């Protein structure tokens, strides 16, 4: 979390000047090109960051949930947001004014380190996602997404899909029809999807598939489809 490594006194000051806002699903938090006047922290629910391509389609950049922050890089640069943010579900978001954050960073080196660490963590996360898109099959990416939602280390597990399947597809770089095919292929690995619920028969089996060599995993998925 953005403030987890900040001194307690600095956190108290930042929270004193922060404001929490409730957003309904589909409500825009900010648009592409808006001044980066705040850093945002998700308190509850899900928020998606996206851009609209020249063709008019929507490209999902990231999806954040409770404890995740976004907008730090734009705030540090003192520019505008390079993406738009929308409530993927009903959500509560904390907004910390950029001016207050920058002032605190100038006065408190520990705050600067914490903010920079958060920004670098986001960068590393994006690099990992690009690697995932390049090196793994669609079915593997779906398996990894499902595993990220589980709180089970082994055995059977059931998870609730946190947002609609169109957004899930966009989040992992797939078309909705490709997502449906990936779900079908995962039946071979004991995954059953019913509306917004996924039932996983064996966490280890799904994890092994998700982490397998791409060529082997793709061949196995094709043979089971």
């Amino acid at each position: 979390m953005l403030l987890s490594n900040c001194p307690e006194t600095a956190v108290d000051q930042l929270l004193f000047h922060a404001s929490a806002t409730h957003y309904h699903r589909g409500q825009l938090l900010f648009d592409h090109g808006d001044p980066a006047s705040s850093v945002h922290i998700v308190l509850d629910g899900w928020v998606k960051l996206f851009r609209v391509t020249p063709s008019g389609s929507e490209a999902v950049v990231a999806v954040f949930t409770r404890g995740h922050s976004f907008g730090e890089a734009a705030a540090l640069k003192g520019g505008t947001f390079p993406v738009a943010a929308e409530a993927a579900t009903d959500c509560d978001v904390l907004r910390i004014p950029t001016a207050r954050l920058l002032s605190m960073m100038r006065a408190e080196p520990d705050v600067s380190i914490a903010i920079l660490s958060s920004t670098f963590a986001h960068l590393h996360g994006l690099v990992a996602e690009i690697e995932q898109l390049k090196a793994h099959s669609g079915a593997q990416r779906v398996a990894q997404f499902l595993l990220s939602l589980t709180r089970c280390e082994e055995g059977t597990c059931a998870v609730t899909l946190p947002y609609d399947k169109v957004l899930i597809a966009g989040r992992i770089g797939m078309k909705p029809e490709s997502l449906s095919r990936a779900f079908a292929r995962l039946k071979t690995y004991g995954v059953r999807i019913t509306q917004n619920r996924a039932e996983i028969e064996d966490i280890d089996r799904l994890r092994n598939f998700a982490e397998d060599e791409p060529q082997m995993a793709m061949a196995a998925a094709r043979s089971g489809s």
Side-chain angles (χ1 to χ4, degrees), residues 21-93:
T21 304
H22 179 76
Y23 295 92
H24 295 289
R25 178 183 176 185
Q27 189 173 353
L28 204 65
L29 282 69
F30 56 77
D31 205 352
H32 173 212
D34 285 351
S37 58
S38 299
V39 172
H40 299 73
I41 300 175
V42 183
L43 301 177
D44 193 30
W46 293 80
V47 174
K48 70 173 179 179
L49 304 186
F50 68 97
R51 292 193 67 161
V52 177
T53 67
S55 64
S57 61
E58 184 180 285
V60 179
V61 176
V63 184
F64 296 112
T65 189
R66 184 175 183 175
H68 293 175
S69 60
F70 54 94
E72 300 97 320
L76 292 177
K77 186 179 178 182
T80 59
F81 288 117
V83 295
E86 180 183 293
T89 66
D90 287 357
C91 60
D92 296 300
V93 178

Side-chain angles (χ1 to χ4, degrees), residues 30 76 106 120 123 133 162 191 208-209:
F30 56 77
L76 292 177
R106 295 185 185 102
F120 285 134
L123 175 61
L133 288 173
V191 177
N208 288 338
F209 167 70

Side-chain angles (χ1 to χ4, degrees), residues 92-113:
D92 296 300
V93 178
L94 188 72
R95 299 171 65 250
I96 301 175
T98 296
R100 177 58 58 179
L101 182 62
L102 291 175
S103 176
M104 185 67 67
M105 291 175 66
R106 295 185 185 102
E108 297 278 355
D110 287 345
V111 176
S112 296
I113 293 172

Side-chain angles (χ1 to χ4, degrees), residues 2-225:
L2 178 68
L3 305 179
S4 59
N5 295 318
C6 290
E8 187 175 343
T9 54
V11 173
D12 290 341
Q13 292 184 51
L14 289 172
L15 293 180
F16 178 79
H17 293 91
S19 60
T21 304
H22 179 76
Y23 295 92
H24 295 289
R25 178 183 176 185
Q27 189 173 353
L28 204 65
L29 282 69
F30 56 77
D31 205 352
H32 173 212
D34 285 351
S37 58
S38 299
V39 172
H40 299 73
I41 300 175
V42 183
L43 301 177
D44 193 30
W46 293 80
V47 174
K48 70 173 179 179
L49 304 186
F50 68 97
R51 292 193 67 161
V52 177
T53 67
S55 64
S57 61
E58 184 180 285
V60 179
V61 176
V63 184
F64 296 112
T65 189
R66 184 175 183 175
H68 293 175
S69 60
F70 54 94
E72 300 97 320
L76 292 177
K77 186 179 178 182
T80 59
F81 288 117
V83 295
E86 180 183 293
T89 66
D90 287 357
C91 60
D92 296 300
V93 178
L94 188 72
R95 299 171 65 250
I96 301 175
T98 296
R100 177 58 58 179
L101 182 62
L102 291 175
S103 176
M104 185 67 67
M105 291 175 66
R106 295 185 185 102
E108 297 278 355
D110 287 345
V111 176
S112 296
I113 293 172
I115 302 303
L116 289 174
S117 296
S118 176
T119 303
F120 285 134
H122 286 175
L123 175 61
H124 289 310
L126 288 174
V127 171
E129 288 180 14
I130 292 172
E131 180 183 4
Q132 185 186 82
L133 288 173
K134 295 285 187 179
H136 295 88
S137 69
Q140 279 183 296
R141 299 201 300 272
V142 174
Q144 290 164 350
F145 174 76
L146 294 177
L147 290 168
S148 73
L149 300 175
T150 66
R151 296 183 179 180
C152 312
E153 293 298 324
E154 58 184 10
T156 61
C157 187
V159 298
T160 299
L161 303 181
Y163 37 81
D164 65 68
K165 293 176 183 177
V166 173
L167 180 52
I168 292 173
R171 173 69 181 80
I172 56 180
M174 302 174 69
K175 295 181 179 180
E177 56 270 26
S178 299
L179 178 66
S180 296
R181 288 195 293 269
F183 278 145
R185 288 172 179 172
L186 289 181
K187 290 181 181 179
T188 303
Y189 298 91
V191 177
R192 297 291 183 272
I193 305 295
T194 305
Q195 295 181 341
N196 68 333
R197 181 181 174 87
E199 296 183 0
I200 304 170
E201 289 182 1
D202 190 326
I203 292 291
D204 285 335
R205 185 184 182 193
L206 187 63
R207 186 182 294 115
N208 288 338
F209 167 70
E211 296 174 354
D212 203 352
E213 290 296 325
Q215 294 83 356
M216 294 175 60
M218 290 177 72
R222 283 197 295 268
S223 65
S225 61

